[in-house]
Amino acid sequence: MMASTLSLALFLFQQDTSAATPPPSSSSAIVEMVHNSGPVAFTVLVILLIASIFSWAIMLTKWKSFNRAQTQGQRFIRAFRKSSRLSEIAAVAEQFKPSPLVSVFSEIHDEYQRQNGGRGLPRNPVALERAAQTASSESLTTMESHMTWLATIAAIAPFIGLFGTVWGIIDAFHGLGTEGAATLRAVAPGISEALITTAAGLVVAIPAVIGYNQLTARLREFGSRMDDFGRELLNAIENAAMLTPPSQQQSQAEEQRRRGF
């Protein structure tokens, strides 16, 4: 009777001790899985970590530069619409340089100056339109730098994780063959490698896809704004030329003929 009582007390004490022991947290479990990963799975995780850091650096840098370009563009538009002379805008355009609208204005203004000194109707309006399109294309090309890397990371990160998944499954089957029995101890390491690399690939790819789509939408918005501003600037040049007195226009035309234009 005494022995059974001591056995029951010892059993209850062991149960209380095991209940008092806190279960391992999910973060410590992930750290343990990464620590116990094989060389192939660890290499996959390192590659995905580098890709994630690079993609986040691109996204944060682009987002900051796009915000600065948008802010300066709004200020430049307000200054342009308040001014009545292109020479005044050309003098202060460098202050708004991060904005791609400044490049469009500079190209059109320079072409206008080459044609007839920045006075009167432009002799070749099509050349002004081509100058605006060229400036818009060059600005968008500059703003799109490194975007292909972001798209590449978003596309290949799941496949890199999938490679780790396949290798983990192969390792699990190899463990089954080594142990000779379908036990959890035999397949657990390979399955954990497969799961952790799959999750890592998704963690890298999902933010890259979202960031690429958002930045691409903002690039399309910048392109539309540059096209609209180019047309607005051409209209302003034509309207200003129409307001020039006829006598002044005639003298300008005679001067152009005298110069051989």
Side-chain angles (χ1 to χ4, degrees):
M1 183 67 179
M2 180 65 68
S4 60
T5 304
L6 290 175
S7 300
L8 180 60
L10 181 60
F11 176 77
L12 293 176
F13 176 77
Q14 291 176 350
Q15 292 295 323
D16 292 339
T17 304
S18 60
T21 303
S25 61
S26 59
S27 59
S28 62
I30 294 175
V31 172
E32 184 179 357
M33 282 191 295
V34 173
H35 184 266
N36 295 330
S37 298
V40 176
F42 188 77
T43 302
V44 169
L45 293 176
V46 170
I47 293 174
L48 290 175
L49 177 62
I50 295 173
S52 178
I53 294 173
F54 189 43
S55 65
W56 275 104
I58 294 174
M59 288 187 289
L60 294 177
T61 302
K62 289 296 181 183
W63 200 265
K64 183 179 179 180
S65 63
F66 286 2
N67 287 339
R68 184 169 62 251
Q70 182 178 1
T71 301
Q72 294 295 333
Q74 293 173 352
R75 294 176 180 174
F76 179 73
I77 286 292
R78 288 196 296 265
F80 171 77
R81 291 174 179 173
K82 288 180 181 179
S83 179
S84 58
R85 302 181 62 182
L86 295 180
S87 58
E88 297 177 356
I89 301 299
V92 299
E94 292 297 325
Q95 300 178 6
F96 310 97
K97 190 60 177 177
S99 173
L101 302 181
V102 176
S103 299
V104 177
F105 174 83
S106 299
E107 289 292 332
I108 294 178
H109 183 264
D110 293 344
E111 179 63 27
Y112 186 42
Q113 290 288 333
R114 285 191 293 266
Q115 288 188 13
N116 51 359
R119 296 178 180 178
L121 287 172
R123 292 182 292 105
N124 189 1
V126 178
L128 297 181
E129 295 178 0
R130 287 198 295 263
Q133 294 174 357
T134 301
S136 177
S137 177
E138 291 177 351
S139 298
L140 284 178
T141 301
T142 302
M143 299 178 74
E144 288 175 351
S145 61
H146 299 110
M147 288 288 292
T148 54
W149 281 106
L150 188 60
T152 302
I153 292 173
I156 68 173
F159 294 101
I160 296 176
L162 182 61
F163 174 78
T165 303
V166 173
W167 192 267
I169 295 175
I170 293 174
D171 193 15
F173 278 105
H174 179 72
L176 284 176
T178 303
E179 293 290 335
T183 61
L184 183 61
R185 185 182 298 274
V187 299
I191 297 299
S192 64
E193 289 182 7
L195 295 177
I196 196 67
T197 53
T198 303
L202 294 177
V203 167
V204 174
I206 291 174
V209 171
I210 296 174
Y212 178 79
N213 291 335
Q214 293 296 320
L215 293 174
T216 302
R218 296 198 67 180
L219 283 172
R220 289 196 296 266
E221 183 180 354
F222 278 115
S224 299
R225 289 182 178 179
M226 283 187 283
D227 292 340
D228 294 341
F229 175 73
R231 287 189 289 267
E232 183 178 355
L233 179 56
L234 293 176
N235 291 335
I237 292 174
E238 293 179 357
N239 294 334
M242 292 297 181
L243 295 177
T244 304
S247 58
Q248 186 175 354
Q249 291 184 4
Q250 185 177 1
S251 62
Q252 292 175 358
E254 292 176 355
E255 184 179 358
Q256 292 177 5
R257 285 195 299 269
R258 181 173 57 82
R259 292 180 178 178
F261 290 127

